[in-house]
Amino acid sequence: AEPLVKALADSEFVLRYMPSHEAQTAFPTTLEELQRYQAVILSDIGANTLLLHPDVWLHGKTVPNRLKLLRDYVEMGGGLFMIGGYLSFQGINGAARYGRTAVEEVLPVTCLQVDDRIEIPEGFAPEIVEPGHPILAGLPADWPVLLGINEVVVKNEPGVQLLARTPADQGSHPLLVAGGYGQGRTLAWTSDIGPHWLPETFVQWPGYGQLWRQCLAWLTGKA
């Protein structure tokens, strides 16, 4: 997440970066704690990290289901952004396991029930579907290549918008999808935020920081 942390350092957004090993215990366990934040970003953190607090898997105690808390948080006006990776959506060997969970319920996409990685080592340039959307408005026209995505299915629901995808010769798979749930907004970006799927050339692209700032502005209702 270091490229994202750096890109947001001089923005209006204050980012609380929580690595997976920390999130297992530090991620909020109450709705009130979650509502201190305007949006939550999940990237490369499997569902089990949030489901299996050490009190559960070491001591056999009950704790709140944090995937259901995220659903309630979005329903009440929070923003949820899932960014792709080996432990996002369904992930490598299906290990991320967000399919058929409360988090998938609020996302604008449906997870596959298998290993959903699509490796594209030759690279692909994103195809922009809705260039006038606030998230994409004003971005440079020439996007750098990406090297892979998680395969998902866009939900056929009111308010869900496919904003960007892979080109036809790479399957026209969803890359950026916007939606909503209850009073909240949700986003799915099926590639990564840094290497390897999002290479250094993308990190250095002038639109890199602008893209994430505009994603967060839309997600939090500022755009």
PDB file of all heavy atoms in Angstrom, residues 89-111:
ATOM      1  N   PHE A  89     -11.280 -10.114  -3.437  1.00  0.00           N
ATOM      2  CA  PHE A  89     -12.391 -10.798  -4.106  1.00  0.00           C
ATOM      3  C   PHE A  89     -12.337 -12.286  -3.731  1.00  0.00           C
ATOM      4  O   PHE A  89     -12.447 -12.610  -2.549  1.00  0.00           O
ATOM      5  CB  PHE A  89     -12.355 -10.533  -5.609  1.00  0.00           C
ATOM      6  CG  PHE A  89     -12.490  -9.047  -5.920  1.00  0.00           C
ATOM      7  CD1 PHE A  89     -11.376  -8.272  -6.254  1.00  0.00           C
ATOM      8  CD2 PHE A  89     -13.714  -8.413  -5.818  1.00  0.00           C
ATOM      9  CE1 PHE A  89     -11.492  -6.901  -6.490  1.00  0.00           C
ATOM     10  CE2 PHE A  89     -13.846  -7.040  -6.045  1.00  0.00           C
ATOM     11  CZ  PHE A  89     -12.726  -6.288  -6.384  1.00  0.00           C
ATOM     12  N   GLN A  90     -12.125 -13.213  -4.667  1.00  0.00           N
ATOM     13  CA  GLN A  90     -11.996 -14.613  -4.257  1.00  0.00           C
ATOM     14  C   GLN A  90     -10.528 -15.023  -4.121  1.00  0.00           C
ATOM     15  O   GLN A  90     -10.179 -15.834  -3.286  1.00  0.00           O
ATOM     16  CB  GLN A  90     -12.733 -15.542  -5.223  1.00  0.00           C
ATOM     17  CG  GLN A  90     -13.136 -16.882  -4.628  1.00  0.00           C
ATOM     18  CD  GLN A  90     -14.197 -16.775  -3.535  1.00  0.00           C
ATOM     19  OE1 GLN A  90     -14.635 -15.699  -3.170  1.00  0.00           O
ATOM     20  NE2 GLN A  90     -14.613 -17.915  -3.008  1.00  0.00           N
ATOM     21  N   GLY A  91      -9.653 -14.439  -4.954  1.00  0.00           N
ATOM     22  CA  GLY A  91      -8.221 -14.564  -4.741  1.00  0.00           C
ATOM     23  C   GLY A  91      -7.589 -15.877  -5.171  1.00  0.00           C
ATOM     24  O   GLY A  91      -8.219 -16.746  -5.782  1.00  0.00           O
ATOM     25  N   ILE A  92      -6.302 -15.984  -4.867  1.00  0.00           N
ATOM     26  CA  ILE A  92      -5.505 -17.155  -5.259  1.00  0.00           C
ATOM     27  C   ILE A  92      -6.064 -18.423  -4.608  1.00  0.00           C
ATOM     28  O   ILE A  92      -6.279 -18.477  -3.396  1.00  0.00           O
ATOM     29  CB  ILE A  92      -4.013 -16.944  -4.890  1.00  0.00           C
ATOM     30  CG1 ILE A  92      -3.172 -18.121  -5.369  1.00  0.00           C
ATOM     31  CG2 ILE A  92      -3.828 -16.672  -3.401  1.00  0.00           C
ATOM     32  CD1 ILE A  92      -1.674 -17.887  -5.238  1.00  0.00           C
ATOM     33  N   ASN A  93      -6.335 -19.415  -5.434  1.00  0.00           N
ATOM     34  CA  ASN A  93      -6.914 -20.679  -4.967  1.00  0.00           C
ATOM     35  C   ASN A  93      -8.211 -20.488  -4.187  1.00  0.00           C
ATOM     36  O   ASN A  93      -8.594 -21.337  -3.382  1.00  0.00           O
ATOM     37  CB  ASN A  93      -5.902 -21.457  -4.106  1.00  0.00           C
ATOM     38  CG  ASN A  93      -4.635 -21.794  -4.853  1.00  0.00           C
ATOM     39  OD1 ASN A  93      -4.671 -22.099  -6.049  1.00  0.00           O
ATOM     40  ND2 ASN A  93      -3.498 -21.716  -4.178  1.00  0.00           N
ATOM     41  N   GLY A  94      -8.876 -19.360  -4.432  1.00  0.00           N
ATOM     42  CA  GLY A  94     -10.121 -19.056  -3.725  1.00  0.00           C
ATOM     43  C   GLY A  94      -9.918 -18.672  -2.273  1.00  0.00           C
ATOM     44  O   GLY A  94     -10.882 -18.618  -1.500  1.00  0.00           O
ATOM     45  N   ALA A  95      -8.668 -18.341  -1.879  1.00  0.00           N
ATOM     46  CA  ALA A  95      -8.341 -18.172  -0.464  1.00  0.00           C
ATOM     47  C   ALA A  95      -8.844 -16.869   0.139  1.00  0.00           C
ATOM     48  O   ALA A  95      -8.958 -16.759   1.358  1.00  0.00           O
ATOM     49  CB  ALA A  95      -6.829 -18.276  -0.266  1.00  0.00           C
ATOM     50  N   ALA A  96      -9.110 -15.857  -0.674  1.00  0.00           N
ATOM     51  CA  ALA A  96      -9.621 -14.597  -0.108  1.00  0.00           C
ATOM     52  C   ALA A  96     -11.042 -14.765   0.418  1.00  0.00           C
ATOM     53  O   ALA A  96     -11.417 -14.158   1.423  1.00  0.00           O
ATOM     54  CB  ALA A  96      -9.567 -13.475  -1.138  1.00  0.00           C
ATOM     55  N   ARG A  97     -11.847 -15.528  -0.306  1.00  0.00           N
ATOM     56  CA  ARG A  97     -13.150 -16.023   0.183  1.00  0.00           C
ATOM     57  C   ARG A  97     -14.157 -14.935   0.542  1.00  0.00           C
ATOM     58  O   ARG A  97     -14.866 -15.024   1.549  1.00  0.00           O
ATOM     59  CB  ARG A  97     -12.956 -16.965   1.382  1.00  0.00           C
ATOM     60  CG  ARG A  97     -12.152 -18.213   1.063  1.00  0.00           C
ATOM     61  CD  ARG A  97     -12.065 -19.148   2.250  1.00  0.00           C
ATOM     62  NE  ARG A  97     -13.387 -19.638   2.620  1.00  0.00           N
ATOM     63  CZ  ARG A  97     -13.993 -20.694   2.057  1.00  0.00           C
ATOM     64  NH1 ARG A  97     -13.401 -21.352   1.078  1.00  0.00           N
ATOM     65  NH2 ARG A  97     -15.174 -21.076   2.466  1.00  0.00           N
ATOM     66  N   TYR A  98     -14.273 -13.922  -0.304  1.00  0.00           N
ATOM     67  CA  TYR A  98     -15.331 -12.927  -0.085  1.00  0.00           C
ATOM     68  C   TYR A  98     -16.638 -13.315  -0.769  1.00  0.00           C
ATOM     69  O   TYR A  98     -17.667 -12.690  -0.526  1.00  0.00           O
ATOM     70  CB  TYR A  98     -14.875 -11.547  -0.558  1.00  0.00           C
ATOM     71  CG  TYR A  98     -13.921 -10.889   0.413  1.00  0.00           C
ATOM     72  CD1 TYR A  98     -12.557 -10.867   0.173  1.00  0.00           C
ATOM     73  CD2 TYR A  98     -14.385 -10.306   1.590  1.00  0.00           C
ATOM     74  CE1 TYR A  98     -11.677 -10.269   1.069  1.00  0.00           C
ATOM     75  CE2 TYR A  98     -13.521  -9.709   2.497  1.00  0.00           C
ATOM     76  CZ  TYR A  98     -12.161  -9.710   2.227  1.00  0.00           C
ATOM     77  OH  TYR A  98     -11.296  -9.122   3.118  1.00  0.00           O
ATOM     78  N   GLY A  99     -16.594 -14.310  -1.648  1.00  0.00           N
ATOM     79  CA  GLY A  99     -17.822 -14.755  -2.299  1.00  0.00           C
ATOM     80  C   GLY A  99     -18.833 -15.267  -1.285  1.00  0.00           C
ATOM     81  O   GLY A  99     -18.472 -15.932  -0.307  1.00  0.00           O
ATOM     82  N   ARG A 100     -20.095 -14.898  -1.500  1.00  0.00           N
ATOM     83  CA  ARG A 100     -21.204 -15.341  -0.653  1.00  0.00           C
ATOM     84  C   ARG A 100     -21.072 -14.844   0.779  1.00  0.00           C
ATOM     85  O   ARG A 100     -21.518 -15.517   1.736  1.00  0.00           O
ATOM     86  CB  ARG A 100     -21.347 -16.869  -0.691  1.00  0.00           C
ATOM     87  CG  ARG A 100     -21.626 -17.413  -2.084  1.00  0.00           C
ATOM     88  CD  ARG A 100     -21.709 -18.913  -2.099  1.00  0.00           C
ATOM     89  NE  ARG A 100     -21.914 -19.429  -3.455  1.00  0.00           N
ATOM     90  CZ  ARG A 100     -21.907 -20.721  -3.787  1.00  0.00           C
ATOM     91  NH1 ARG A 100     -21.706 -21.632  -2.840  1.00  0.00           N
ATOM     92  NH2 ARG A 100     -22.098 -21.105  -5.028  1.00  0.00           N
ATOM     93  N   THR A 101     -20.452 -13.689   0.956  1.00  0.00           N
ATOM     94  CA  THR A 101     -20.355 -13.091   2.287  1.00  0.00           C
ATOM     95  C   THR A 101     -21.116 -11.767   2.305  1.00  0.00           C
ATOM     96  O   THR A 101     -21.566 -11.271   1.265  1.00  0.00           O
ATOM     97  CB  THR A 101     -18.893 -12.807   2.674  1.00  0.00           C
ATOM     98  OG1 THR A 101     -18.380 -11.756   1.841  1.00  0.00           O
ATOM     99  CG2 THR A 101     -18.031 -14.051   2.539  1.00  0.00           C
ATOM    100  N   ALA A 102     -21.198 -11.178   3.483  1.00  0.00           N
ATOM    101  CA  ALA A 102     -21.877  -9.890   3.620  1.00  0.00           C
ATOM    102  C   ALA A 102     -21.135  -8.788   2.872  1.00  0.00           C
ATOM    103  O   ALA A 102     -21.758  -7.820   2.423  1.00  0.00           O
ATOM    104  CB  ALA A 102     -21.995  -9.530   5.096  1.00  0.00           C
ATOM    105  N   VAL A 103     -19.818  -8.913   2.709  1.00  0.00           N
ATOM    106  CA  VAL A 103     -19.067  -7.923   1.936  1.00  0.00           C
ATOM    107  C   VAL A 103     -19.432  -8.012   0.459  1.00  0.00           C
ATOM    108  O   VAL A 103     -19.666  -6.992  -0.198  1.00  0.00           O
ATOM    109  CB  VAL A 103     -17.550  -8.097   2.151  1.00  0.00           C
ATOM    110  CG1 VAL A 103     -16.750  -7.363   1.073  1.00  0.00           C
ATOM    111  CG2 VAL A 103     -17.155  -7.574   3.518  1.00  0.00           C
ATOM    112  N   GLU A 104     -19.508  -9.217  -0.081  1.00  0.00           N
ATOM    113  CA  GLU A 104     -19.921  -9.355  -1.482  1.00  0.00           C
ATOM    114  C   GLU A 104     -21.327  -8.789  -1.681  1.00  0.00           C
ATOM    115  O   GLU A 104     -21.627  -8.204  -2.733  1.00  0.00           O
ATOM    116  CB  GLU A 104     -19.899 -10.817  -1.912  1.00  0.00           C
ATOM    117  CG  GLU A 104     -20.239 -10.986  -3.396  1.00  0.00           C
ATOM    118  CD  GLU A 104     -20.521 -12.434  -3.771  1.00  0.00           C
ATOM    119  OE1 GLU A 104     -21.397 -13.060  -3.128  1.00  0.00           O
ATOM    120  OE2 GLU A 104     -19.880 -12.926  -4.712  1.00  0.00           O
ATOM    121  N   GLU A 105     -22.174  -8.907  -0.696  1.00  0.00           N
ATOM    122  CA  GLU A 105     -23.550  -8.409  -0.789  1.00  0.00           C
ATOM    123  C   GLU A 105     -23.592  -6.917  -1.118  1.00  0.00           C
ATOM    124  O   GLU A 105     -24.458  -6.459  -1.858  1.00  0.00           O
ATOM    125  CB  GLU A 105     -24.286  -8.687   0.526  1.00  0.00           C
ATOM    126  CG  GLU A 105     -25.754  -8.344   0.517  1.00  0.00           C
ATOM    127  CD  GLU A 105     -26.428  -8.677   1.837  1.00  0.00           C
ATOM    128  OE1 GLU A 105     -25.932  -9.570   2.551  1.00  0.00           O
ATOM    129  OE2 GLU A 105     -27.437  -8.026   2.163  1.00  0.00           O
ATOM    130  N   VAL A 106     -22.641  -6.157  -0.588  1.00  0.00           N
ATOM    131  CA  VAL A 106     -22.682  -4.713  -0.794  1.00  0.00           C
ATOM    132  C   VAL A 106     -21.844  -4.257  -1.981  1.00  0.00           C
ATOM    133  O   VAL A 106     -22.038  -3.147  -2.485  1.00  0.00           O
ATOM    134  CB  VAL A 106     -22.235  -3.941   0.466  1.00  0.00           C
ATOM    135  CG1 VAL A 106     -23.049  -4.375   1.664  1.00  0.00           C
ATOM    136  CG2 VAL A 106     -20.757  -4.098   0.746  1.00  0.00           C
ATOM    137  N   LEU A 107     -20.918  -5.086  -2.444  1.00  0.00           N
ATOM    138  CA  LEU A 107     -20.073  -4.703  -3.579  1.00  0.00           C
ATOM    139  C   LEU A 107     -20.890  -4.639  -4.867  1.00  0.00           C
ATOM    140  O   LEU A 107     -21.929  -5.313  -4.992  1.00  0.00           O
ATOM    141  CB  LEU A 107     -18.928  -5.703  -3.749  1.00  0.00           C
ATOM    142  CG  LEU A 107     -17.829  -5.687  -2.699  1.00  0.00           C
ATOM    143  CD1 LEU A 107     -16.844  -6.831  -2.954  1.00  0.00           C
ATOM    144  CD2 LEU A 107     -17.099  -4.351  -2.679  1.00  0.00           C
ATOM    145  N   PRO A 108     -20.435  -3.873  -5.866  1.00  0.00           N
ATOM    146  CA  PRO A 108     -21.146  -3.802  -7.144  1.00  0.00           C
ATOM    147  C   PRO A 108     -20.828  -4.961  -8.080  1.00  0.00           C
ATOM    148  O   PRO A 108     -21.261  -4.959  -9.230  1.00  0.00           O
ATOM    149  CB  PRO A 108     -20.663  -2.469  -7.735  1.00  0.00           C
ATOM    150  CG  PRO A 108     -19.279  -2.311  -7.212  1.00  0.00           C
ATOM    151  CD  PRO A 108     -19.304  -2.908  -5.827  1.00  0.00           C
ATOM    152  N   VAL A 109     -20.073  -5.942  -7.587  1.00  0.00           N
ATOM    153  CA  VAL A 109     -19.693  -7.101  -8.392  1.00  0.00           C
ATOM    154  C   VAL A 109     -19.902  -8.369  -7.582  1.00  0.00           C
ATOM    155  O   VAL A 109     -19.945  -8.341  -6.345  1.00  0.00           O
ATOM    156  CB  VAL A 109     -18.217  -7.012  -8.850  1.00  0.00           C
ATOM    157  CG1 VAL A 109     -17.993  -5.791  -9.731  1.00  0.00           C
ATOM    158  CG2 VAL A 109     -17.262  -7.008  -7.663  1.00  0.00           C
ATOM    159  N   THR A 110     -20.013  -9.479  -8.303  1.00  0.00           N
ATOM    160  CA  THR A 110     -20.109 -10.803  -7.689  1.00  0.00           C
ATOM    161  C   THR A 110     -18.790 -11.528  -7.887  1.00  0.00           C
ATOM    162  O   THR A 110     -18.204 -11.498  -8.975  1.00  0.00           O
ATOM    163  CB  THR A 110     -21.249 -11.612  -8.331  1.00  0.00           C
ATOM    164  OG1 THR A 110     -22.482 -10.909  -8.137  1.00  0.00           O
ATOM    165  CG2 THR A 110     -21.357 -12.989  -7.708  1.00  0.00           C
ATOM    166  N   CYS A 111     -18.314 -12.182  -6.845  1.00  0.00           N
ATOM    167  CA  CYS A 111     -17.069 -12.947  -6.924  1.00  0.00           C
ATOM    168  C   CYS A 111     -17.315 -14.303  -7.589  1.00  0.00           C
ATOM    169  O   CYS A 111     -18.403 -14.871  -7.479  1.00  0.00           O
ATOM    170  CB  CYS A 111     -16.502 -13.182  -5.529  1.00  0.00           C
ATOM    171  SG  CYS A 111     -16.150 -11.680  -4.590  1.00  0.00           S
TER     172      CYS A 111
END
